Amino acid sequence: MTTPMTKAEKSAGLQLGAGDKVGIIAGSGRLPANVAESLVQAGHKPFVIRVAGEADSGFTGYDGDTLAIEQFGSLLPLLKRQRITHVVLAGGISRRPLLRAIRPTFHLIRLLPRVAAALARGDDGLLRILVNTIEDNGIKVVGAHQIVPELLAIEGRMGAHAPRKEDWADLDAGLEAARAIGALDVGQAAVAIGGRAVALEGIEGTDLLLERVRELRDNGRIAGRKRGVLVKCAKPNQELRADLPTIGPATIDAAHAAGLVGIGVEAGRSLVMDYGEMVARADRLGLFVVGLGEGTRR
Amino acid sequence: MTTPMTKAEKSAGLQLGAGDKVGIIAGSGRLPANVAESLVQAGHKPFVIRVAGEADSGFTGYDGDTLAIEQFGSLLPLLKRQRITHVVLAGGISRRPLLRAIRPTFHLIRLLPRVAAALARGDDGLLRILVNTIEDNGIKVVGAHQIVPELLAIEGRMGAHAPRKEDWADLDAGLEAARAIGALDVGQAAVAIGGRAVALEGIEGTDLLLERVRELRDNGRIAGRKRGVLVKCAKPNQELRADLPTIGPATIDAAHAAGLVGIGVEAGRSLVMDYGEMVARADRLGLFVVGLGEGTRR
């Protein structure tokens, strides 16, 4: 990791005591592994709760357990049994719970009224309920970036390539669109080509969004338009301890396959996975990656 | 056609004189054929300009010509040669012009500064330029609904089935999302399930949007959530003479395949293709179709 850190990012770092034990609720992607490795390097021994069907099958070798999303009524008893003091929600959870597969437990039944209210408010509401419920039980919920501060996207250029002037029109259009759909609690990403947003992320996620753009290019719907960018930004009311917009080496590959020339992410409110590898890959493929902040130079 | 018409819709109807000749610029879908048939029934003989790669291959039997989207520099000379007095832009044009395939003609070169400005403003800007350019040459551009007023979506229920109370939450969420992306000039449609928008239309169009929802259901991303709706509405700054949101029998089939239970369209600013067949199909498959207006009953 060679990311320069700003003062704000450093201060976001968390001081863990000797008696503290971190539980990682592991969804999809490389983030859970990044967090776990970083904890081990700092001398801690994380407990990993893998979300069934989401956690990466290659992410093993840690103390832990696996829970289906429908078994989250058992989460609090498990956290208490393991004497977890801090919980990190890391990685994506794209599936919604199958209501018919939920086994009613005592803890879950106590939660139900809040969960029902949260479901009515969308994804972000649900996350916030999960966070509040864990914290009500004396366990701290912390963001992945508090455990691994260098994950936070910096402002400005990452890597060798920079946006051209015309790419800034795409970055602006993509950011406007991503913000608008974030305000609706629908998604965090948009693809802009030729100065306008052409594809918006819903619950399908960024991988399928980029796959769609690749197909649209292949079948001529974006014929004659080269370049274009992916923009990711946090929702205006984002729960910052979970589900921050994330990019990594795989995002570079997918953006490149979709014929895009760069990626913009919201600085300070997005995560960059495997920074060194991501930058190396972007440099090799000719893509720019830029952290967008209030003062980012156009 | 058994659609009841409101006063406003009737007054939108156009009086064509004996010397008038209507040119239909035919994009994809059933709309161009609907317009052509209606004109023939009224005793007119339309001239059909098929957009290559877009116009339905089954739509034949009319006087006309075929133009690639890259040949639109020849459109005005063609309209004048044929003494067209009114032009209808009907059907979708999903492909963007391949700039390298455009043959520079005299007319096109005169247009270029305006086209370049329009491209920078997105789809709707481009349409407006096309409309203005045609009208500057003394040819009227009229909306398909002015030729076939009964195409306009009415307010309220169409067909036998009505939305349930919980479906109204989806209709509201879908409408909010569709309006937001319309304001960005990105798309005109959204799918809402479980009270929230889950998929948004970009340039891929409604067919691929619904196909995506079907896949998301199949792979469990929307597991445990039945019902859900498609909502289409015009963009706030919509050029009303072109590209109105459109539904028809095929939309019913695609929405049903995606596991949705109904469709909402903006009343008075959306088109319904093959009304009788659409309603029959919706009735048979159990879907509701509702025209959304200011006063639509919840």
Side-chain angles (χ1 to χ4, degrees):
Chain A
M1 295 274 182
T2 56
T3 328
M5 275 193 286
T6 67
K7 212 165 181 181
E9 290 161 26
K10 274 186 192 135
S11 69
L14 182 80
Q15 294 300 328
L16 288 173
D20 289 332
K21 185 171 177 186
V22 179
I24 301 173
I25 300 184
S28 61
R30 291 268 310 142
L31 182 58
N34 271 258
V35 172
E37 284 158 22
S38 172
L39 282 167
V40 168
Q41 277 163 26
H44 296 282
K45 217 174 146 248
F47 184 85
V48 175
I49 299 161
R50 304 162 51 87
V51 180
E54 301 282 359
D56 194 271
S57 58
F59 175 40
T60 54
Y62 296 91
D63 244 20
D65 206 340
T66 299
L67 279 190
I69 195 163
E70 289 82 5
Q71 297 173 308
F72 268 65
S74 324
L75 178 63
L76 270 176
L78 175 62
L79 295 175
K80 287 180 169 175
R81 222 161 41 233
Q82 292 292 334
R83 300 182 189 282
I84 305 285
T85 57
H86 296 73
V87 161
V88 186
L89 306 169
I93 302 204
S94 59
R95 260 196 42 209
R96 301 288 151 259
L98 261 173
L99 294 182
R100 66 169 185 275
I102 295 180
R103 253 189 51 222
T105 64
F106 175 70
H107 280 91
L108 186 65
I109 286 165
R110 285 201 316 178
L111 281 181
L112 273 185
R114 295 164 93 182
V115 170
L119 282 171
R121 285 204 309 275
D123 244 17
D124 238 38
L126 192 58
L127 263 172
R128 203 158 287 136
I129 288 294
L130 183 64
V131 167
N132 290 346
T133 304
I134 295 172
E135 297 218 310
D136 283 355
N137 284 269
I139 299 168
K140 275 208 156 55
V141 176
V142 298
H145 60 285
Q146 291 172 281
I147 304 277
V148 197
E150 61 270 32
L151 286 175
L152 271 183
I154 56 166
E155 186 167 339
R157 193 174 81 182
M158 309 174 219
H161 302 283
R164 292 188 198 163
K165 189 159 173 284
E166 73 251 42
D167 298 327
W168 279 109
D170 286 347
L171 287 165
D172 288 341
L175 186 60
E176 186 190 15
R179 281 221 175 105
I181 62 174
L184 294 166
D185 194 14
V186 177
Q188 300 175 316
V191 170
I193 300 177
R196 56 184 291 244
V198 297
L200 307 173
E201 184 187 55
I203 58 165
E204 76 276 12
T206 306
D207 291 350
L208 290 178
L209 169 71
L210 290 171
E211 168 76 11
R212 179 157 88 246
V213 173
R214 192 183 62 66
E215 286 169 8
L216 288 169
R217 275 212 208 260
D218 286 352
N219 68 21
R221 301 266 181 135
I222 323 181
R225 293 253 165 223
K226 306 242 187 294
R227 308 189 71 80
V229 306
L230 167 73
V231 178
K232 297 192 78 165
C233 71
K235 298 171 185 172
N237 299 313
Q238 180 90 37
E239 163 59 66
L240 291 177
R241 288 167 297 180
D243 198 32
L244 281 185
T246 300
I247 61 169
T251 320
I252 302 291
D253 290 340
H256 181 253
L260 304 178
V261 296
I263 296 174
V265 292
E266 188 179 0
R269 306 217 301 164
S270 306
L271 302 177
V272 178
M273 227 62 48
D274 304 319
Y275 182 89
E277 169 59 20
M278 184 201 73
V279 165
R281 211 170 292 190
D283 287 355
R284 196 169 62 240
L285 294 172
L287 273 75
F288 63 80
V289 182
V290 62
L292 304 171
E294 286 309 318
T296 311
R297 285 186 62 210
R298 298 299 199 250
Chain B
M1 290 276 183
T2 56
T3 326
M5 275 193 287
T6 67
K7 214 164 179 181
E9 289 162 27
K10 275 187 194 132
S11 71
L14 183 78
Q15 293 300 327
L16 288 173
D20 289 334
K21 185 170 176 187
V22 179
I24 301 173
I25 300 184
S28 62
R30 291 268 311 144
L31 182 58
N34 272 257
V35 172
E37 284 157 24
S38 172
L39 281 168
V40 168
Q41 276 163 26
H44 296 281
K45 214 170 147 255
F47 184 84
V48 175
I49 299 160
R50 304 164 50 88
V51 181
E54 301 283 359
D56 194 272
S57 58
F59 175 40
T60 55
Y62 296 91
D63 241 21
D65 206 339
T66 300
L67 279 190
I69 195 162
E70 289 83 3
Q71 297 173 306
F72 266 63
S74 323
L75 178 63
L76 270 176
L78 176 62
L79 295 176
K80 288 181 172 176
R81 223 161 41 233
Q82 293 291 334
R83 301 183 188 282
I84 305 285
T85 56
H86 295 75
V87 160
V88 186
L89 307 168
I93 302 204
S94 59
R95 261 197 45 211
R96 299 291 150 258
L98 262 173
L99 294 182
R100 67 169 181 276
I102 294 180
R103 252 189 55 219
T105 64
F106 174 69
H107 281 92
L108 186 66
I109 286 165
R110 283 201 317 181
L111 281 182
L112 273 185
R114 295 164 95 184
V115 171
L119 283 170
R121 285 204 308 275
D123 245 16
D124 237 38
L126 193 57
L127 263 174
R128 204 158 285 137
I129 289 295
L130 184 61
V131 167
N132 290 345
T133 305
I134 294 173
E135 297 219 308
D136 283 355
N137 284 268
I139 299 168
K140 276 208 155 52
V141 176
V142 297
H145 60 285
Q146 290 172 279
I147 302 279
V148 198
E150 61 269 33
L151 287 173
L152 272 183
I154 57 167
E155 186 166 339
R157 193 174 81 181
M158 307 173 221
H161 302 283
R164 291 188 199 163
K165 188 157 174 282
E166 72 250 46
D167 298 327
W168 279 110
D170 286 347
L171 287 166
D172 288 340
L175 187 60
E176 185 191 15
R179 281 222 174 105
I181 63 174
L184 294 165
D185 193 14
V186 177
Q188 300 175 316
V191 170
I193 300 176
R196 57 183 291 245
V198 298
L200 306 174
E201 184 187 55
I203 58 165
E204 76 276 13
T206 306
D207 291 351
L208 290 177
L209 169 72
L210 290 171
E211 168 76 13
R212 179 158 89 245
V213 173
R214 193 183 60 68
E215 287 169 8
L216 288 169
R217 277 214 208 259
D218 287 352
N219 69 22
R221 300 268 179 132
I222 322 180
R225 293 253 166 221
K226 306 243 188 294
R227 307 190 70 79
V229 306
L230 167 72
V231 179
K232 296 190 79 165
C233 70
K235 299 169 183 172
N237 299 312
Q238 180 91 38
E239 164 53 73
L240 291 178
R241 287 168 297 179
D243 199 29
L244 282 185
T246 300
I247 61 169
T251 321
I252 302 290
D253 290 341
H256 181 254
L260 304 178
V261 295
I263 297 175
V265 292
E266 188 179 359
R269 304 217 303 161
S270 305
L271 301 178
V272 178
M273 226 62 47
D274 304 318
Y275 182 88
E277 170 60 22
M278 184 200 74
V279 165
R281 212 170 293 190
D283 287 356
R284 196 170 60 241
L285 294 171
L287 274 76
F288 64 79
V289 181
V290 62
L292 305 170
E294 287 307 321
T296 312
R297 285 185 62 210
R298 298 299 198 251

